[in-house]
Amino acid sequence: EVFGTVAMEQSQVKSVIPINPKHANNNPDLWRQYAQDGELDPPELLVSELSEMLLRLAAMGFTAENFDFLDTPPEASLASASALLQRLGAFDASGISEGGRAMLRLPLHPRLARLALEAQELGYPETGALHAALLNEGEILRRSAISELLQHIGASSDLTLRQTQLESAQASRSSLSDGALRAEGVDPAKARRVLRVQQQLIRALPRYTSKQE
């Protein structure tokens, strides 16, 4: 159980009372006291990248200006997130665009969702979904194998290297066994997560056109 401190007097913390944080959800002053006393990290909203949150708010008809945040995010973070969504084509003159709604239908950060959608539009849905899934998962190669693979394969990027090794393992065996994956320097559990996400994305990709005629 997590415990926090509650100031019983304004000047100094005179008493320490065990508090279950779930009872403090409606008391922002309590959370701020925790953070000031070093008992709790700052609210995630204050330190996170906010583009996905802004996109979800826009889908519900809100903006950062008219939404009543418990803790208002930093203006610089909101501006950066808004600029990113504009570059990704998630917003248009009327608010959230058709492309922005399509991004929300994929279980990915807007950057990766746009990658998958753009690849689909260019005629490469499986490759785009695989790249998005790989980037979402992070490193799938076993650390002990990375240096050797880079020397022998000479891939143009770490993403290309991950894709190459995963596809090599798929091609080497009709059944994607742990042994086949390890032989290519790939972590079996991570590889299977990537392939599951790839298939989920392919099924979830909507049909839309974001480019202007």
Side-chain angles (χ1 to χ4, degrees), residues 30-133:
L30 191 57
W31 284 112
R32 292 189 185 98
Q33 183 64 53
Y34 288 167
Q36 291 167 5
D37 293 344
E39 297 292 333
L40 193 68
D41 291 335
E44 187 175 353
L45 190 65
L46 302 186
V47 296
S48 298
E49 200 280 326
L50 302 175
S51 57
E52 185 173 3
M53 180 206 71
L54 285 186
L55 191 57
R56 294 191 180 281
L57 285 179
M60 295 185 290
F62 293 103
T63 67
E65 289 73 27
N66 66 21
F67 188 77
D68 186 18
F69 292 101
L70 181 63
D71 291 284
T72 303
E75 289 186 11
S77 298
L78 290 169
S80 176
S82 179
L84 172 62
L85 292 171
Q86 293 283 354
R87 292 197 301 273
L88 294 176
F91 292 151
D92 56 25
S94 62
I96 187 170
S97 66
E98 184 181 355
R101 294 187 185 279
M103 291 177 207
L104 275 179
R105 288 193 283 270
L106 300 181
L108 296 169
H109 184 276
R111 285 183 186 274
L112 300 183
R114 176 56 194 269
L115 183 158
L117 291 165
E118 186 72 11
Q120 180 206 35
E121 190 170 326
L122 294 173
Y124 302 97
E126 292 188 1
T127 300
L130 177 59
H131 285 184

Side-chain angles (χ1 to χ4, degrees), residues 125-204:
E126 292 188 1
T127 300
L130 177 59
H131 285 184
L134 283 167
L135 290 168
N136 188 61
E137 175 66 32
E139 189 57 77
I140 67 167
L141 299 177
R142 293 185 293 116
R143 183 170 300 181
S144 59
I146 293 176
S147 297
E148 182 179 353
L149 289 171
L150 286 172
Q151 290 177 359
H152 287 82
I153 295 177
S156 59
S157 72
D158 60 344
L159 180 59
T160 302
L161 179 60
R162 295 177 217 169
Q163 179 183 357
T164 298
Q165 295 311 107
L166 185 56
E167 290 177 344
S168 294
Q170 286 179 296
S172 66
R173 304 282 182 91
S174 58
S175 176
L176 198 60
S177 66
D178 287 2
L181 290 164
R182 291 195 182 98
E184 299 296 338
V186 179
D187 181 288
K190 293 181 178 181
R192 290 196 174 87
R193 279 199 299 270
V194 165
L195 295 174
R196 282 198 299 270
V197 171
Q198 180 196 24
Q199 293 307 309
Q200 290 169 1
L201 293 176
I202 291 171
R203 291 193 295 269

